[in-house]
Amino acid sequence: DAGVTQSPTHLIKTRGQQVTLRCSPKSGHDTVSWYQQALGQGPQFIFQYYEEEERQRGNFPDRFSGHQFPNYSSELNVNALLLGDSALYLCASSLGTGVLSSYNEQFFGPGTRLTVL
Amino acid sequence: EDQVTQSPEALRLQEGESSSLNCSYTVSGLRGLFWYRQDPGKGPEFLFTLYSAGEEKEKERLKATLTKKESFLHITAPKPEDSATYLCAALTSGTYKYIFGTGTRLKVLA
């Protein structure tokens, strides 16, 4: 069973550039969440996609945007990169947001390490 | 404001020395409390989900418990391979947002 996959593994960009990160959810999962994890910190919630729509959003500026495709895969786009955007970007997948407790468990991918110079 | 606090920030144990990690949460309704293990440079690995006060779950040397204000991750007779950062996260009711703590960095010495 393929787990959550992310690409690329590492990425180096310069300030002001734009970046796109990609995520394929665990087989059978339909919900994708994105997180930013700075060194030594816990993951910070960026947003969540379900049924191709942004369902929830954390405290991130509009420079961070995303998309979910019909096959449930997802992209995270960051425009006008800042030095502070350097972090590990994590994608997590889960099965819907229904009332059954097992639906809320998230499984994380290995992350994309973004370095902004 | 929803908040999750973990303590201690770092913990060094001798192999076989049992201990507990704490996760305190203040959220507007708890849907679930999650524990993850994260190795350096990798994504978090799911360990446990707890849904109601009094609930306990075990896996090998790990046992997670939940009260109305905090959760504990008990590590019994740890081994060096248990060295990692342990993260807890609260899933809030209604908003479906996961609020993570900053983690406890555990080092188990042989």
Side-chain angles (χ1 to χ4, degrees), chain B residues 29-60:
Chain B
L30 181 71
R31 189 170 183 84
L33 191 291
F34 300 78
W35 282 98
Y36 292 87
R37 168 193 170 126
Q38 186 173 28
D39 293 301
K42 297 187 177 181
E45 174 189 347
F46 171 78
L47 293 174
F48 303 107
T49 309
L50 301 166
Y51 293 101
S52 57
E55 187 175 1
E56 299 182 352
K57 288 192 176 176
E58 290 188 66
K59 178 181 180 180
E60 297 181 351

Side-chain angles (χ1 to χ4, degrees), chain B residues 60-81:
Chain B
E60 297 181 351
R61 296 177 293 281
L62 300 177
K63 178 181 177 180
T65 62
L66 181 66
T67 72
K68 289 186 177 181
K69 294 183 178 181
E70 56 192 349
S71 177
F72 292 93
L73 184 65
H74 307 278
I75 303 177
T76 302
K79 298 181 177 181
E81 53 262 42

Side-chain angles (χ1 to χ4, degrees), chain A residues 35 37 40-43 45 48 55-58 88 90 97-99 101-102 104-110 113, chain B residues 1 31 34 36 38 41-46 49 51 57 87 91 94-103 105:
Chain A
Y35 293 84
Q37 186 176 27
Q41 300 297 313
F45 175 73
Q48 182 183 81
R55 174 184 290 269
Q56 295 289 340
R57 188 177 183 93
L88 180 68
L90 295 164
T97 54
V99 297
S101 59
S102 62
N104 300 137
E105 297 176 9
Q106 291 188 119
F107 293 84
F108 283 82
R113 172 70 63 188
Chain B
E1 180 183 350
R31 189 170 183 84
F34 300 78
Y36 292 87
Q38 186 173 28
K42 297 187 177 181
E45 174 189 347
F46 171 78
T49 309
Y51 293 101
K57 288 192 176 176
L87 296 163
L91 176 63
T95 60
Y96 298 101
K97 290 184 180 179
Y98 288 81
I99 311 296
F100 276 84
T102 54
R105 297 188 308 278

